[in-house]
Amino acid sequence: MKQEQWIDRLRTEWDREQRTRCIDVYPSVGGLFRDAHREWLNLSSNDYLNLARHPDVIAASEAALHAYGAGATASRLVTGTLPPHEQLEHALAEHKGYPTAVLFGSGYMTNAGTIPALVGRGDAVFADRLVHASIIDAVTLSRARLYRFHHNEADHLDTLLKKHNGGGRRLVVTESVFSMDGDLAPLREIAEIAEQRNAMILIDEAHATGVFGPNGKGRIAELGLQEQINISMGTLSKGLAGYGGFAACSDRVRALLINRARTLIFTTALPPAVAGSALGALAVVEKEPGLGETLLRRADHFRNRLREAGLDTMRSESQIIPIRVGDNAAALSLSRRLRAEGILAVPIRPPTVPQGRARLRLSLTLAHTEEDLVRAADAIVTCARKEGRL
Ligand SMILES: *Cc1c(COP(=O)(O)O)cnc(C)c1O
C-alpha cells in the first residue's frame, strides 16, 4: 500500500548498514539440539542451567496446567491471582532474601512497571550507560529525567548524584551481570554511593539469577546487599528457563507496585502453567546447589582458551562471553562461518550494542559439556583465523 512506502526506504538503509533483522525458526530450545541433519551447539541460548526441558520443571508446569487450566483469565488485581502465583511470589522472596516479591508478565514488564511506579515527572534516574532497553523504555514511560553514568564507574555515578539533586526522588539503576558484555557491576560501591546520596536503588539481576551466588540466588545475595538495595528485579526466562519477571522488595514497595505499576494492573496474570514451571525450576535450583558454580567454572576455561588464542572477550566474568569484532559485516560473516560448523553464535549489532561494537555474544549453558566447549572454542578460533580476525 502506498502509505507504507516509507518502510521500504528504511529497509534500504538497514540493508546498506547490514543491520536488517529477521526471524529464524529453530527445532528446539536449549544449548544442544538436533534437527533432521545434524547436531547443533547453540551458544546463543539463555537456558543457562539447562532447565527448559528438565523433567521436574515440565512436571511442575503440567501439574499447574491440569489443576488450574490454560490461562489466568483475569488480571492480578481482579480474579487472576491463583495459588501458583502466590506460591511463586513467596518462593522468589525467600530465594532472593527479601521480605516479599511481586510477579509480572515478563522481565521487560517488570522494569516497565516498577520504574514508573517509583519515579515520575520532576524526578531523576541514574543508570549505567549499558543498561538493557527495558530500563531505558521504563524511564521514558516514567517521564523522569535520565542521567547515564559511564559503564561500571561508581565515581561518575557519585558525581552525577552530587550535581543533580534538585529535590525530586532519585533512583539508581544498573545490572548485576551485563547482558551483552558479560561483565559485573561494582554493586557494593554503587549501593554505598546510592545510600550516601539518599537515592533509591534497583538492580537488574536478569543474568545473575540462577547462576551467581549461593544456590543461584544472585549477586545481591552473594554480597549480602539486600538491606541496601531496594529492589532486586529478575526474570524467570533465562536461568529459570520459563517466562515472567519479578521484583523482590519490601512490603512497602510491594504496596506501591500493586497500586501503581501499570504493567501489573492492566494486563492478564501469567498462565498457571508458566508460574508452575518457574516453581519447578526454583525447586531444582534449591535442591542442586552447585549448578551455577559449575557453569561459571566451565565459562572460565572456555574464555581462557579464546583469550589465549588472541580473541577479545572484553571484560567478561560470567557465562556471557562476547567476542568483539567491530563492524557489522564482519560479525555477520563470522557468525555464518560458525553456523556452517554447527555452532550457533548470533551476531549482536547496533542498536542493541553501541555503533562500532558489533560482536558475537556467546552464552554457555549446562547442556554444553567440557568437551563440547573445547571443540567450540577451537572451531571459533579456526573460523576467526579464516576471517582474518586473528
Ligand atoms: C532479558 C532481560 C530483561 C527482560 O527479561 P524478559 O523476561 O526476557 O522480558 C530485562 N533486563 C535484562 C538485563 C535482560 O537481559
Side-chain angles (χ1 to χ4, degrees):
M1 271 182 279
K2 220 162 108 232
Q3 319 87 288
E4 292 178 357
Q5 276 169 4
W6 62 276
I7 299 172
D8 299 338
R9 288 195 292 279
L10 209 54
R11 287 201 51 176
T12 310
E13 204 174 297
W14 292 338
D15 286 344
R16 202 173 47 234
E17 291 168 16
Q18 305 242 28
R19 61 187 185 96
T20 309
R21 290 146 187 260
C22 60
I23 291 180
D24 293 329
V25 181
Y26 294 92
S28 180
V29 294
L32 207 59
F33 60 80
R34 300 193 62 82
D35 63 14
H37 309 286
R38 72 191 301 176
E39 187 171 272
W40 291 90
L41 203 60
N42 182 4
L43 295 179
S44 297
S45 165
N46 295 324
D47 186 14
Y48 300 134
L49 305 181
N50 196 24
L51 295 181
R53 307 182 60 104
H54 192 293
D56 293 0
V57 177
I58 290 173
S61 183
E62 271 178 356
L65 173 68
H66 291 297
Y68 302 102
T73 73
S75 70
R76 291 292 310 278
L77 298 187
V78 182
T79 55
T81 299
L82 301 165
H85 299 104
E86 194 193 26
Q87 282 164 29
L88 182 55
E89 286 184 333
H90 283 151
L92 286 166
E94 193 171 311
H95 185 69
K96 291 285 181 178
Y98 275 81
T100 186
V102 181
L103 190 58
F104 285 83
S106 68
Y108 187 102
M109 287 211 267
T110 307
N111 282 331
T114 302
I115 292 172
L118 293 166
V119 288
R121 210 186 290 281
D123 300 333
V125 175
F126 301 80
D128 187 286
R129 274 192 41 176
L130 296 189
V131 293
H132 191 257
S134 58
I135 294 168
I136 302 302
D137 294 356
V139 178
T140 305
L141 274 173
S142 78
R143 299 182 177 85
R145 289 205 61 167
L146 175 61
Y147 300 98
R148 304 185 81 170
F149 59 94
H150 302 325
H151 179 52
N152 279 346
E153 287 186 23
D155 286 349
H156 189 224
L157 167 65
D158 193 44
T159 306
L160 289 179
L161 280 167
K162 200 155 64 184
K163 191 161 151 199
H164 304 286
N165 57 354
R169 284 195 291 275
R170 302 189 304 163
L171 173 67
V172 173
V173 183
T174 192
E175 295 176 22
S176 67
V177 176
F178 278 84
S179 59
M180 292 298 141
D181 290 52
D183 56 352
L184 311 183
L187 283 191
R188 212 189 284 283
E189 285 94 321
I190 285 176
E192 215 155 85
I193 287 166
E195 191 166 26
Q196 278 166 11
R197 301 272 174 212
N198 199 26
M200 300 177 286
I201 173 164
L202 179 152
I203 299 295
D204 183 327
E205 293 240 74
H207 298 277
T209 300
V211 178
F212 280 80
N215 289 75
K217 292 172 196 285
R219 292 193 60 227
I220 296 174
E222 186 175 24
L223 300 170
L225 294 174
Q226 288 96 335
E227 295 284 323
Q228 277 109 296
I229 290 170
N230 302 86
I231 293 159
S232 158
M233 79 70 66
T235 169
L236 307 175
S237 67
K238 289 165 182 159
L240 299 174
Y243 197 63
F246 63 91
C249 56
S250 65
D251 290 315
R252 221 192 225 145
V253 170
R254 180 183 163 89
L256 177 83
L257 295 181
I258 288 173
N259 284 279
R260 265 213 188 152
R262 295 172 67 86
T263 59
L264 177 108
I265 300 170
F266 298 107
T267 192
T268 302
L270 278 177
V274 173
S277 95
L279 279 165
L282 269 179
V284 173
V285 167
E286 293 282 357
K287 207 168 61 192
E288 297 179 39
L291 295 177
E293 266 166 49
T294 304
L295 178 63
L296 291 174
R297 198 172 50 241
R298 286 184 196 168
D300 264 342
H301 293 161
F302 179 75
R303 193 171 39 238
N304 285 339
R305 221 174 159 85
L306 297 177
R307 277 186 183 156
E308 278 158 17
L311 288 166
D312 180 1
T313 55
M314 303 174 73
R315 295 196 176 159
S316 161
E317 290 188 60
S318 67
Q319 76 281 14
I320 299 166
I321 303 171
I323 296 180
R324 189 162 170 174
V325 176
D327 74 83
N328 297 349
L332 265 176
S333 167
L334 182 55
S335 168
R336 282 204 196 103
R337 204 181 272 273
L338 285 167
R339 184 180 278 259
E341 302 288 319
I343 294 172
L344 297 175
V346 171
I348 307 282
R349 288 163 285 168
T352 307
V353 293
Q355 209 51 253
R357 293 229 188 161
R359 68 196 67 174
L360 300 188
R361 173 195 181 269
L362 312 181
S363 50
L364 306 195
T365 80
L366 286 179
H368 309 129
T369 62
E370 309 254 13
E371 299 81 69
D372 288 333
L373 293 175
V374 168
R375 181 164 64 82
D378 292 348
I380 291 166
V381 170
T382 307
C383 289
R385 271 204 193 104
K386 284 186 188 151
E387 290 282 311
R389 310 299 315 170
L390 279 172

